[in-house]
Amino acid sequence: MPATTMFFFKYLDLSIEKLNNKLAKADKKYELNYLLGKAFMFKAMALSTAEKNLDAFWATKSSIGYFEDVLEENPNFHDANLGIGVFQYALGFVPSVFKWALNLTGLTADQNKGFHNIKIALKNGTDSKTEASFHLGKIYSDYFAEYDSSTINLYNIINKYPKNTLFLYQCAITHLLNRDLQNAEKLLNRVISLNNKNFKQTTAFAYFLKGDIYFRKNNYEKAIEYYNKFTQLTRTTDYLGIASYRSAFCYEMLGKKDESVKCLSGINSGNDDIQEDIYAMEEGKKVKNYGWSFERLNLLTNQNNLEAAKYDSVISNLKKHLSSYKDEDSKFIGYLYLAESFIQKKEMDDANYYLTKVYPKKFDREKWGIPYFNYLKALYFYKIKKTNDAVKYINLAEDTNEYSFKEKYQPLINNLKRKLKID
């Protein structure tokens, strides 16, 4: 363990000891309990970073316990709601390999309750409003796909703290998810120009996301430039695999096959707990074995157009090329890209035409197309105000969302469920 980390734990434990000594003598305990809750929250975060996961869960349990004691003594001390809410929400993302630790410590996740508690802290808290706005901005984006609500919360705190690297970076992610590449790039440029020495990894990720922006623009040379900068600066394996895979695609599109092959050698360098890196590893192996098929190259190009909100480009390109596809899974995905593009353009008859050409039970390799199809059917029915059909398909989408890109589709499913008032 690094010396700085050891000093952190030393002084944190000393603070906890002193707070407990004061707590034993205090008549009103809620303020001291609140400080103890925050101390154990910081301890849980540090232990998790140090990969001491069981200890982190026990610290989490202690933190929540202190925050609950605060509200028991003073129900109006709503800053404590933030700590409880953050843990309730975050525990929902604990990998399945650590579920035993949740059971052992008696912790439970409830993301909706967490969201509610954080909203209470924002509305009624005192010193937690900025942190609550940040967490709500992230939740609205990552869990509910409500991008306008996310940016409202994030810009509120960015306006107060215009040089806060983390706030700028999170808001850039929201813009990217909302297919607003222009505003995403503006914020990422601010992150990069700040080059905050305390957030070097965030700056590295900003270069990765700039690579993604140019990747979506099908500007292959610029995408490669930013992916290379990311790989030079990053201190973690996160997204190294997908950066290698996307760079390989870019080189292939530029006709630089040798460079493409070199990039494919990096597909296993990512984090195998991250969906994007898992995807890169699986798809990269197929490319290594079978080469870049026309369908794969064309679908990736149109996926980029879709993610850049260039729906007319998707429609014109796929109408031209889809008939030449030989692979059935690829053809179905192409139909789904067309259907989504027409939904976005509010041309619902055309959207329905392409949805009827997809047979989800026939998906072989690209089984993530099943929840994608069900989601688009639900969205289509919602748009034409056939609520019962929309409810049927959004429930199907959630029930079948167990393949690649689960993390991508779940927020979209949650978004539509909220609109349909489904618990």
Side-chain angles (χ1 to χ4, degrees):
M1 185 181 294
T4 52
T5 305
M6 293 176 65
F7 278 119
F8 173 81
F9 283 119
K10 175 183 175 181
Y11 288 113
L12 184 62
D13 287 338
L14 185 60
S15 299
I16 291 170
E17 181 182 346
K18 289 181 177 294
L19 285 167
N20 276 317
N21 289 337
K22 286 189 174 184
L23 187 67
K25 304 170 186 175
D27 293 326
K28 292 184 178 180
K29 300 179 183 294
Y30 66 90
E31 289 183 341
L32 292 168
N33 278 327
Y34 176 66
L35 293 174
L36 280 163
K38 293 196 76 170
F40 275 99
M41 175 183 275
F42 296 144
K43 188 169 187 176
M45 294 165 63
L47 287 166
S48 179
T49 301
E51 297 185 351
K52 294 182 176 293
N53 295 301
L54 183 56
D55 290 337
F57 286 126
W58 283 117
T60 297
K61 186 174 180 66
S62 295
S63 179
I64 292 172
Y66 282 115
F67 287 135
E68 289 175 340
D69 288 343
V70 170
L71 293 174
E72 184 176 346
E73 182 180 354
N74 184 353
N76 295 318
F77 197 92
H78 291 295
D79 291 308
N81 287 93
L82 176 66
I84 294 171
V86 167
F87 280 127
Q88 286 173 325
Y89 178 77
L91 288 170
F93 295 96
V94 171
S96 58
V97 69
F98 296 123
K99 295 297 184 185
W100 63 270
L102 285 181
N103 294 331
L104 180 65
T105 54
L107 292 166
T108 57
D110 192 322
Q111 290 167 316
N112 288 320
K113 282 186 179 178
F115 173 66
H116 178 68
N117 271 309
I118 296 169
K119 286 178 70 177
I120 290 173
L122 176 63
K123 182 179 179 180
N124 300 312
T126 302
D127 73 344
S128 59
K129 287 184 179 293
T130 297
E131 191 177 350
S133 284
F134 172 75
H135 286 295
L136 283 176
K138 186 171 174 58
I139 291 170
Y140 273 122
S141 177
D142 297 353
Y143 188 62
F144 292 121
E146 293 183 13
Y147 305 120
D148 290 343
S149 297
S150 175
T151 53
I152 287 170
N153 278 277
L154 292 170
Y155 276 115
N156 280 342
I157 54 178
I158 287 171
N159 290 335
K160 294 179 183 176
Y161 306 100
K163 294 185 178 181
N164 187 294
T165 295
L166 198 57
F167 298 166
L168 294 166
Y169 178 76
Q170 182 58 45
C171 198
I173 291 175
T174 295
H175 283 310
L176 266 176
L177 290 170
N178 200 28
R179 300 175 176 176
D180 181 357
L181 304 190
Q182 183 176 2
N183 281 315
E185 186 170 13
K186 285 180 182 177
L187 294 180
L188 292 172
N189 285 340
R190 287 168 66 179
V191 171
I192 290 169
S193 65
L194 286 169
N195 195 23
N196 190 323
K197 65 180 182 180
N198 296 314
F199 289 87
K200 289 186 178 296
Q201 187 57 51
T202 305
T203 304
F205 285 145
Y207 280 105
F208 170 75
L209 292 182
K210 282 204 70 173
D212 274 358
I213 287 172
Y214 284 98
F215 182 71
R216 293 181 184 189
K217 292 180 177 180
N218 293 311
N219 185 331
Y220 308 122
E221 290 182 347
K222 292 289 285 185
I224 291 167
E225 175 187 336
Y226 286 109
Y227 286 141
N228 284 342
K229 187 69 174 178
F230 162 66
T231 58
Q232 292 166 15
L233 293 176
T234 188
R235 298 176 176 180
T236 178
T237 60
D238 296 1
Y239 305 111
L240 282 173
I242 194 63
S244 296
Y245 179 73
R246 289 173 179 162
S247 294
F249 167 80
C250 292
Y251 278 121
E252 184 71 18
M253 294 299 287
L254 291 169
K256 299 180 179 181
K257 296 186 180 298
D258 290 342
E259 295 295 329
S260 180
V261 171
K262 288 180 184 178
C263 285
L264 286 174
S265 66
I267 59 171
N268 295 322
S269 58
N271 183 341
D272 57 13
D273 287 328
I274 292 177
Q275 184 57 61
E276 289 89 340
D277 284 336
I278 296 170
Y279 169 82
M281 183 169 59
E282 292 173 349
E283 297 302 303
K285 285 179 181 177
K286 296 175 188 175
V287 175
K288 281 183 176 182
N289 291 331
Y290 306 110
W292 291 96
S293 66
F294 170 76
E295 285 95 333
R296 181 179 295 278
L297 293 171
N298 190 247
L299 277 179
L300 265 172
T301 300
N302 283 292
Q303 181 185 347
N304 285 342
N305 287 332
L306 194 66
E307 297 293 343
K310 295 167 67 174
Y311 304 118
D312 288 330
S313 296
V314 176
I315 292 165
S316 61
N317 184 289
L318 284 173
K319 279 189 171 182
K320 179 180 179 180
H321 294 296
L322 200 53
S323 61
S324 66
Y325 279 26
K326 297 177 181 178
D327 176 67
E328 188 172 53
D329 274 26
S330 297
K331 185 168 285 191
F332 285 160
I333 297 299
Y335 289 146
L336 292 176
Y337 287 168
L338 281 166
E340 182 177 352
S341 296
F342 279 117
I343 289 173
Q344 294 293 343
K345 287 170 60 66
K346 300 180 181 179
E347 297 177 16
M348 307 310 290
D349 289 342
D350 288 314
N352 186 49
Y353 170 76
Y354 286 105
L355 286 171
T356 60
K357 295 174 76 68
V358 178
Y359 299 94
K361 290 182 179 179
K362 289 188 176 183
F363 274 109
D364 180 22
R365 303 177 322 282
E366 311 297 341
K367 290 189 180 295
W368 58 271
I370 299 171
Y372 183 27
F373 167 82
N374 287 325
Y375 167 73
L376 289 179
K377 286 285 283 189
L379 186 60
Y380 164 76
F381 282 121
Y382 173 76
K383 296 286 188 181
I384 65 170
K385 303 186 186 306
K386 290 192 175 182
T387 302
N388 290 339
D389 289 321
V391 169
K392 170 187 170 183
Y393 276 99
I394 203 61
N395 286 331
L396 273 173
E398 186 159 51
D399 290 343
T400 57
N401 191 27
E402 56 184 352
Y403 306 106
S404 300
F405 312 120
K406 178 178 180 179
E407 293 85 355
K408 174 182 178 179
Y409 292 118
Q410 192 59 51
L412 299 173
I413 292 167
N414 293 343
N415 178 287
L416 196 48
K417 286 178 68 177
R418 275 165 67 85
K419 290 176 179 176
L420 292 166
K421 296 181 170 55
I422 302 172
D423 293 333

